[in-house]
Amino acid sequence: MKIIENMTNGYRKIASGIAIVAFLTLMYFALIPGGTMATSFVTAVSGDPIIGAFIKLVDYPQYNATSTGPLGEYTLNNVPYDAIAGGSTYTMRTRATGYALNTTTVFINGASATKDIQLIPGYKYTAAGQIYGGQWRTNFIVGNLGTQDTTLDVNFIDLSGITRNNSEDVISNMASKDYTWFDRAGAIEGSGTITSEQLIDTVTLQRSSSAGKIGFFEGTPLNIEKTQWFMPGMIFSGQWRSGFKVLNLGTVDADVTMYWYNSTGELINTITRTIPPNAAPYYDWNTYGLIASGNSPQAAEGTVTIVSNNAQPLSVTASQASETAGKFGFWNGIYMNDQKTDVFVTGQLWYNPAWRSGFKVANIGSVDADVTMYFYNSAGTLINTVNRIVSPKASPYFDWYTYGFVPSGNVASDGTVRVVSNNGTPIYVVESQASEVSGFIDFYQGVEINGNKTAGLINLKFGGGERSGFKIANPGNSPITATIKFYNATGGLLRTETGFSVPAKGSPYLAWNSYTTEPSGSVTVEATDRISVTASFASDTESKMGMFKGIAGQ
């Protein structure tokens, strides 16, 4: 009986094998080469032909072509298709220098098909300052704030400007994708570059395995070309240390000179460096400011002017850190005019004193700035007015407790400030919030969508000991209303809040977990007048973490 059973099982296996072979043979004859694309064209929005575009089928990359000729024509021959189904639909991807990566579909069968492709420059961002080494590690998040799917073309570049890896990823509108630097590039420093046909935003999270706190803030460009920058708020004193990264946004090496000033505006050091494209080397205040001054007490704090001598555009991002446990984060004030003489300061607070905040007013002009600061409570009522003279290259600090909370009779625990340069000298404002309670906090600002009445945030979270939310700031003199839409991580709409009221000079806070149970997602805010939206990211358990935005390309 056992022999018969074994023979039966053997026949079954043979029969199964014959069936599989027959199926594969059928599929072989069903999926046959023979589909042909008639001559098609690759053009720009203007209609101009694009020569040298590379077109491939994602499913079968060996079937590819390059656009040639005076009209940017291409064709694909002998493409396999499913004869039984009457044809096959394939994903097609097109790449051309100076244009965003395009993804579309094409249907191929026995008849000649055509697929004209139109490319656009799209949007380009650089996620600079990526690192994996020592105590530090980073990841960056890319969110699609457009109206339809987009293809992210992501390059992972080392400090020498060499591409170490590449990723092509399609994400839905209002969805986001997380890239861990070590997984993509290894234990090096560098930058990520991202292009997209749809509007995107990027946020980098930098974490540490050691205790302490860190926050990031942007410098301010001094010209439209972004070849001259001013970096306020440099420090090496007590628990605090700071420095900055200079990102070369250009296409060739940048010849960069940095001028270092002490707290009185005196020049204490000048250095010149060559920075490759997409590289973002770090310069610390202790080495190039304090020590270079001979450890002068006036050089415990200071500012830096950064100049690209050969006209390559730059971007400058600073960090301030401490090894003392606690929370610390930065964000920038909102310019109210093109002259940079009127700045709105949001989200100021003082609680118990577990939380405290303040801001630095930097004079980026060449003469003394006559500055008046108007302090408002959360209802938009004026509670204090302060006037100060700020010297060129100086950036004094003003805390909410001294100038907002106490003058209000210890009532105004939070509020906003308007900072005005009365004599037309341009200024720049950097805000900070801190706590000595263990954990971390940092901030990043939303991106404007179709003007300054609408903003989007790509990275909000509640879970794993981390939480986030956002402030909607109204810099105007009248109340406004806003429509707020909450999306999950894949872009699905979760909830819509209409008629949300924001008082004049107010900046109410909305916690992510108060409006949805989703662990992460994104938000858009559309208001009846100008707004600024700033997100916070915090934890009471994990140690040092800071956030900074990607830089829009040239």
Side-chain angles (χ1 to χ4, degrees):
M1 294 297 293
K2 187 67 175 177
I3 293 174
I4 295 174
E5 181 181 344
N6 290 339
M7 290 176 62
T8 302
N9 290 336
Y11 289 139
R12 287 174 179 167
K13 291 179 181 179
I14 291 172
S16 297
I18 293 172
I20 292 172
V21 171
F23 175 76
L24 293 175
T25 302
L26 180 63
M27 291 302 297
Y28 173 78
F29 286 108
L31 194 62
I32 59 174
T36 299
M37 290 189 62
T39 300
S40 302
F41 304 94
V42 183
T43 61
V45 174
S46 63
D48 294 335
I50 298 175
I51 313 303
F54 181 73
I55 306 100
K56 70 177 181 181
L57 298 184
V58 175
D59 315 79
Y60 291 91
Q62 67 269 32
Y63 294 94
N64 57 70
T66 301
S67 61
T68 59
L71 300 177
E73 59 261 31
Y74 78 96
T75 187
L76 295 174
N77 297 315
N78 297 320
V79 177
Y81 68 91
D82 188 340
I84 294 178
S88 299
T89 299
Y90 293 114
T91 300
M92 176 182 285
R93 193 158 289 160
T94 305
R95 177 186 296 276
T97 301
Y99 296 89
L101 195 61
N102 174 273
T103 300
T104 186
T105 57
V106 61
F107 181 76
I108 300 221
N109 58 14
S112 294
T114 60
K115 189 67 176 183
D116 295 336
I117 301 168
Q118 189 176 81
L119 302 182
I120 62 174
Y123 300 85
K124 180 180 179 180
Y125 273 75
T126 301
Q130 302 300 310
I131 187 173
Y132 187 92
Q135 64 173 298
W136 298 108
R137 64 191 187 277
T138 59
N139 64 290
F140 62 91
I141 296 164
V142 184
N144 177 6
L145 293 170
T147 58
Q148 60 190 45
D149 293 356
T150 194
T151 304
L152 304 178
D153 185 16
V154 187
N155 289 285
F156 303 86
I157 302 170
D158 65 20
L159 288 179
S160 299
I162 299 173
T163 299
R164 295 295 193 94
N165 200 356
N166 171 264
S167 183
E168 300 173 0
D169 304 292
V170 178
I171 63 172
S172 305
N173 64 304
M174 299 313 301
S176 60
K177 186 168 180 61
D178 193 343
Y179 298 91
T180 300
W181 178 254
F182 176 76
D183 293 344
R184 305 287 182 157
I188 62 171
E189 294 185 52
S191 301
T193 62
I194 309 101
T195 59
S196 162
E197 288 187 321
Q198 295 289 302
L199 175 65
I200 58 173
D201 196 20
T202 68
V203 178
T204 292
L205 287 75
Q206 181 167 324
R207 301 174 187 267
S208 170
S209 56
S210 69
K213 45 186 175 280
I214 189 171
F216 294 88
F217 59 96
E218 297 175 8
T220 182
L222 299 177
N223 59 7
I224 296 175
E225 296 78 18
K226 295 185 178 180
T227 60
Q228 300 178 20
W229 285 76
F230 182 74
M231 177 54 68
M234 295 290 98
I235 187 172
F236 190 90
S237 179
Q239 65 173 296
W240 297 109
R241 63 187 186 279
S242 63
F244 56 91
K245 291 190 175 187
V246 181
L247 169 65
N248 177 4
L249 290 169
T251 57
V252 300
D253 288 352
D255 176 30
V256 177
T257 299
M258 290 163 268
Y259 302 90
W260 305 70
Y261 300 89
N262 65 16
S263 58
T264 65
E266 177 188 358
L267 181 66
I268 55 177
N269 193 16
T270 302
I271 65 171
T272 299
R273 295 290 186 269
T274 298
I275 303 176
N278 297 311
Y282 178 79
Y283 303 93
D284 66 288
W285 178 258
N286 181 44
T287 300
Y288 299 102
L290 181 61
I291 293 176
S293 75
N295 292 310
S296 165
Q298 287 77 26
E301 299 185 40
T303 60
V304 185
T305 299
I306 303 102
V307 178
S308 174
N309 302 307
N310 62 337
Q312 293 302 293
L314 308 173
S315 181
V316 184
T317 301
S319 62
Q320 184 169 321
S322 167
E323 300 307 323
T324 302
K327 302 183 179 77
F328 187 59
F330 286 102
W331 67 100
N332 295 329
I334 308 162
Y335 278 128
M336 300 301 295
N337 60 15
D338 294 334
Q339 294 75 35
K340 299 183 178 181
T341 59
D342 192 347
V343 185
F344 186 62
V345 178
T346 67
Q348 295 297 295
L349 57 82
W350 192 87
Y351 284 116
N352 292 328
W355 288 106
R356 62 189 185 279
S357 64
F359 55 94
K360 290 189 174 185
V361 180
N363 178 354
I364 59 178
S366 57
V367 299
D368 287 351
D370 176 21
V371 176
T372 299
M373 290 163 279
Y374 303 89
F375 292 77
Y376 300 88
N377 64 17
S378 58
T381 303
L382 183 66
I383 55 177
N384 193 18
T385 303
V386 177
N387 185 261
R388 291 290 186 273
I389 301 297
V390 181
S391 303
K393 306 293 187 295
S395 55
Y397 177 79
F398 302 92
D399 66 288
W400 178 258
Y401 175 78
T402 300
Y403 298 99
F405 183 70
V406 172
S408 74
N410 298 335
V411 174
S413 56
D414 59 359
T416 59
V417 185
R418 183 185 177 196
V419 184
V420 178
S421 174
N422 302 305
N423 63 337
T425 301
I427 56 177
Y428 181 64
V429 176
V430 175
E431 308 180 51
S432 63
Q433 183 172 318
S435 170
E436 301 311 319
V437 177
S438 297
F440 66 68
I441 191 169
D442 210 356
F443 302 85
Y444 69 94
Q445 289 173 297
V447 63
E448 291 184 358
I449 306 173
N450 300 323
N452 57 25
K453 296 181 182 180
T454 307
L457 296 167
I458 66 167
N459 182 40
L460 294 163
K461 181 178 181 180
F462 188 86
E466 298 178 351
R467 64 186 184 277
S468 60
F470 54 98
K471 296 175 290 185
I472 304 174
N474 172 13
N477 296 317
S478 301
I480 62 174
T481 58
T483 297
I484 309 165
K485 294 182 179 180
F486 297 80
Y487 300 84
N488 64 21
T490 59
L493 180 63
L494 301 170
R495 178 171 178 171
T496 300
E497 291 286 323
T498 59
F500 185 87
S501 180
V502 184
K505 301 292 187 296
S507 57
Y509 178 81
L510 294 84
W512 173 258
N513 66 307
S514 296
Y515 293 87
T516 174
T517 58
E518 286 286 318
S520 62
S522 56
V523 163
T524 60
V525 183
E526 184 174 358
T528 54
D529 209 336
R530 181 178 181 177
I531 55 171
S532 178
V533 179
T534 303
S536 65
F537 202 82
S539 170
D540 293 328
T541 56
E542 193 174 344
S543 189
K544 202 183 299 177
M545 193 281 294
M547 306 180 74
F548 51 96
K549 291 285 291 292
I551 310 301
Q554 298 298 297

